[in-house]
Each structure stands twice: as structure tokens, then as C-alpha cells.
Amino acid sequence: QVQLVESGGGSVQTGGSLRLSCEASRSVFTTNCMAWFRQAPGKEREGVASIKRNTIITYADSVKGRFTISRVNAKNTLYLQMNSLKPEDTAMYYCAAGGSSWNGNCLREADIGDWGQGTQVTVSS
């Protein structure tokens, strides 16, 4: 059964904004680490941002100052606010939950126990 469902992707011009949402089942959302990953054509999936223990946030250097990760526990929902978008941000974006053996900031694929199906983000010049 699907436990993570992303939405909010779309096509925007350079400099535009999008907000991605991830609705999760309670059992998945209560993990101590949630993250967003992305995968561009021809490239490996990479960690974008994570939040662990409800307070500790980590961003990839490429998105610092532009993206904001947050969670609303009462709604079992994870968000990624993306501002000042660039063509290099074009990718499939995946919501992810740390597995039982995650460590660090759960921004490595080996740390992930559950993946969403992905939502496409396309940024044009």
C-alpha cells in the first residue's frame, strides 16, 4: 500500500516558486527523520533536505537559502517550499522516510525505508 503521496509539482519559469506536499500514513510519518530527494534525467537520486527529531534541519548546499522543509504533525504532512527556482532544479522529487537504521540526517538512500512515487518539477529558462 502507498504510504507516502507527493503533490504540488508542475512547470514554472526561472525564479518561480512551488510548494510540494507529502501526505503520509501515521506509521511512516512518526519516524524521527523525513526527507526530500530528487532525481534529474541521467543522474542518481540525491538528498535535498531533511528534518529529524522535529527540529534538526539539513539542506543540500545547492538549495540553501531557496528551499524550506517543514512538517505539520497534526496533518501527517511534509512540505518543501521552493523559491527562486532554477533550471538545474528540474527533477522528479520524492518524499522519503528514514528506515529503522537511519543515521546522520537521513539524506543517503541507504537511510531510507519508504519512498513516495515522485512528483515532477520542471523549471524553464
Side-chain angles (χ1 to χ4, degrees):
Q1 299 296 319
V2 176
Q3 295 182 292
L4 298 168
V5 180
E6 303 98 329
S7 62
S11 298
V12 298
Q13 293 184 321
T14 297
S17 298
L18 287 171
R19 187 180 72 167
L20 306 184
S21 299
C22 171
E23 297 184 17
S25 65
R26 179 68 65 85
S27 61
V28 171
F29 192 77
T30 54
T31 184
N32 283 328
C33 202
M34 299 288 294
W36 288 96
F37 285 70
R38 67 185 181 186
Q39 186 170 27
K43 297 184 177 180
E44 295 186 347
R45 190 151 51 185
E46 62 177 350
V48 175
S50 69
I51 179 167
K52 69 177 181 180
R53 302 189 179 99
N54 291 313
T55 57
I56 302 172
I57 294 174
T58 302
Y59 296 103
D61 288 342
S62 60
V63 306
K64 286 181 179 177
R66 300 188 298 120
F67 290 11
T68 302
I69 188 172
S70 62
R71 60 188 288 170
V72 178
N73 293 341
K75 297 171 63 177
N76 295 338
T77 302
L78 182 74
Y79 298 98
L80 185 68
Q81 178 66 47
M82 305 185 295
N83 298 325
S84 301
L85 284 163
K86 306 173 181 179
E88 64 195 77
D89 295 317
T90 295
M92 284 288 291
Y93 282 72
Y94 299 88
C95 181
S100 60
S101 61
W102 70 267
N103 57 69
N105 299 306
C106 72
L107 279 173
R108 299 200 309 169
E109 290 199 31
D111 296 321
I112 302 304
D114 292 281
W115 296 94
Q117 83 287 353
T119 185
Q120 178 68 40
V121 171
T122 301
V123 185
S124 60
S125 300

